[in-house]
Amino acid sequence: MKLVVKDQMEYEKLEDWITEEFMGSIALVEEEVKPSHIHIAIFEVSTWLDWVKIHRFQKRHKECKIIPLLEPSLLYTSPLAMELKLSSLLVKAVKKHKFIRMLKQVIGGISSEGHILNSDNVLGHHPEPKKGNHTFPFQEAFLRRLLSGEINSEEELIQSRPLFPMDGLPNVVCFIQGFTRCTSWKEEQEWQASMVIQGHLRKRFQEEGVSFLSYRKHLLMLIRIPSKYGSLKHWKQGEARILDAIGELEREYGIHLYIGVGSIYREPLLLHHSYREAYKARRTSPYERLTLRYYEEITKDQQIQKCTDYIAHCCTDNLSIKQVAEQINFSVPYFSRIFKQETGRNFVEYVTFVRLQRAVWLLRHTNHTIEYIAEELGFNTPNYFSGTFKKYVGLSPREYRGTEEIIFI
């Protein structure tokens, strides 16, 4: 294996990971050797010229598997990897488990093609199955740029068409977070929970196809909703599949998911708005159900938004409906009716949920006692707090504190 990495710290990091994981089964070569003796090469791409170097290297080492390691600022050049028929791609700063996993997949591919490497000897187990198609890493790089708003030309969209062989680009974003009661996920294999979640959702959308993007504390699922539906909420079949997956993951794995859903954007250049909306929906009091929340259900009434902002800011105070109604000069009866119409919750239910959101954060990030948290958030007794928490979350505060937040990469 050859590391063509100019960044010395990056080189040493990759070298350490390879040495630690493969215990001498992979030999790193420094100088030029016979082309047939290099099976894998990792090329750092920090300038456009590095793609030219890869192309030249590829001509001399036709059987070598080349993995580009891109600077984030050069993600937009990733289509060049497809032109060079490269099957893998890494982006700085690469995570150890992701690097090792990809390397094992590449070695497994080399083994199956009859090269001298043997994956059973090198890895100690069979390699992971490959992705459904070889465009996966380039599709991921493109989608990350699309959702960050970096893509703003029709030309780039046209170039992306080979990445999406089905009906076209996704048109809605789902923002996924969760926690698990399962303690068997090892720290170095936290991504396993993410793989289980993706597998269950992907299985339910085989015909339509879904794409996933993993971030540290959230997972994005991108779907293409059929054109006759105005939102995922109106596509009852699709909604039912997601709810079915949520229920199965909880029953079989102790995984609890909470999903925010953005609006549909038929124009791909606007899809980044769906990402922001899905994030906001995930963090907003649910109109109907806790596990699946829609941006379209969030009130757009500016005066009610002013009240919900006030509640969020003052949720630990002894809030009264009269006090909040006075913020917008509404009478209590009129405010009560409009508030429930716009939020799907009566005033007391809404304030309770906002307080419980704060309780979740305190339980996860502080060592405060349950009694202290109950008093801090204005619940009359710890028992009342615990009962209310379990009604909304499905676990008692003590049980929730024993869970682990899912890390997706």
Side-chain angles (χ1 to χ4, degrees), residues 141-202:
F142 172 81
L143 289 175
R144 286 186 187 276
R145 294 186 58 238
L146 185 66
L147 294 187
S148 68
E150 293 178 31
I151 294 178
N152 49 30
S153 74
E154 294 290 339
E155 183 180 354
E156 284 193 79
L157 291 178
I158 293 170
Q159 291 174 349
S160 75
R161 284 179 182 171
L163 302 177
F164 300 91
M166 302 188 72
D167 295 326
L169 287 161
N171 54 31
V172 70
V173 178
C174 299
F175 187 100
I176 303 172
Q177 290 182 306
F179 63 86
T180 175
R181 286 182 284 177
C182 178
T183 57
S184 62
W185 312 116
K186 296 179 181 178
E187 185 176 349
E188 69 274 14
Q189 295 177 323
E190 287 173 329
W191 56 269
Q192 284 188 358
S194 177
M195 293 299 103
V196 169
I197 293 165
Q198 292 181 44
H200 278 255
L201 289 167
R202 197 184 298 278

Side-chain angles (χ1 to χ4, degrees), residues 53 58 67 154 160 187 287 296 339 355:
K53 294 177 181 177
Q58 190 179 44
I67 305 173
E154 294 290 339
S160 75
E187 185 176 349
Y287 190 94
E296 65 201 77
F339 188 84
R355 287 173 173 168

Side-chain angles (χ1 to χ4, degrees), residues 2 32 106 110 119 121 167 211 316 363:
K2 186 175 182 65
E32 192 67 45
V106 172
I110 292 173
S119 62
N121 294 334
D167 295 326
S211 301
T316 57
L363 288 166

Side-chain angles (χ1 to χ4, degrees), residues 71-288:
E71 291 284 350
S73 61
L74 287 173
L75 260 174
Y76 68 95
T77 68
S78 60
L80 289 172
M82 287 190 67
E83 290 185 23
L84 294 172
K85 295 183 172 55
L86 307 181
S87 60
S88 303
L89 179 74
L90 291 168
V91 182
K92 287 185 176 180
V94 63
K95 302 290 184 183
K96 179 180 178 181
H97 70 262
K98 189 170 185 178
F99 174 74
I100 297 299
R101 190 161 79 247
M102 178 175 285
L103 198 49
K104 287 179 178 180
Q105 289 171 348
V106 172
I107 291 172
I110 292 173
S111 302
S112 66
E113 291 169 11
H115 291 275
I116 60 171
L117 287 175
N118 182 291
S119 62
D120 291 341
N121 294 334
V122 175
L123 307 181
H125 58 78
H126 294 291
E128 297 181 47
K130 294 182 181 181
K131 300 292 180 185
N133 77 60
H134 74 283
T135 65
F136 173 77
F138 314 114
Q139 183 190 86
E140 177 179 330
F142 172 81
L143 289 175
R144 286 186 187 276
R145 294 186 58 238
L146 185 66
L147 294 187
S148 68
E150 293 178 31
I151 294 178
N152 49 30
S153 74
E154 294 290 339
E155 183 180 354
E156 284 193 79
L157 291 178
I158 293 170
Q159 291 174 349
S160 75
R161 284 179 182 171
L163 302 177
F164 300 91
M166 302 188 72
D167 295 326
L169 287 161
N171 54 31
V172 70
V173 178
C174 299
F175 187 100
I176 303 172
Q177 290 182 306
F179 63 86
T180 175
R181 286 182 284 177
C182 178
T183 57
S184 62
W185 312 116
K186 296 179 181 178
E187 185 176 349
E188 69 274 14
Q189 295 177 323
E190 287 173 329
W191 56 269
Q192 284 188 358
S194 177
M195 293 299 103
V196 169
I197 293 165
Q198 292 181 44
H200 278 255
L201 289 167
R202 197 184 298 278
K203 178 177 67 175
R204 288 166 171 80
F205 291 94
Q206 286 181 354
E207 292 184 10
E208 296 80 9
V210 292
S211 301
F212 292 95
L213 295 177
S214 297
Y215 298 81
R216 179 167 172 77
K217 292 193 175 183
H218 68 276
L219 175 71
L220 299 185
M221 179 171 68
L222 294 85
I223 313 176
R224 185 169 182 81
I225 306 297
S227 58
K228 61 182 178 180
Y229 300 106
S231 75
L232 176 58
K233 185 177 182 181
H234 298 149
W235 185 30
K236 292 302 180 184
Q237 185 184 33
E239 182 186 69
R241 293 176 194 172
I242 292 175
L243 292 173
D244 183 58
I246 290 172
E248 187 172 322
L249 286 164
E250 183 176 342
R251 290 190 302 272
E252 294 191 8
Y253 300 93
I255 291 174
H256 295 249
L257 292 188
Y258 302 95
I259 302 177
V261 183
S263 305
I264 288 180
Y265 285 87
R266 305 291 179 188
E267 169 51 61
L269 293 178
L270 301 178
L271 191 63
H272 60 281
H273 293 303
S274 188
Y275 180 13
R276 294 191 182 95
E277 292 170 356
Y279 169 81
K280 187 172 183 180
R282 163 67 184 93
R283 300 188 175 279
T284 301
S285 175
Y287 190 94
E288 184 177 350

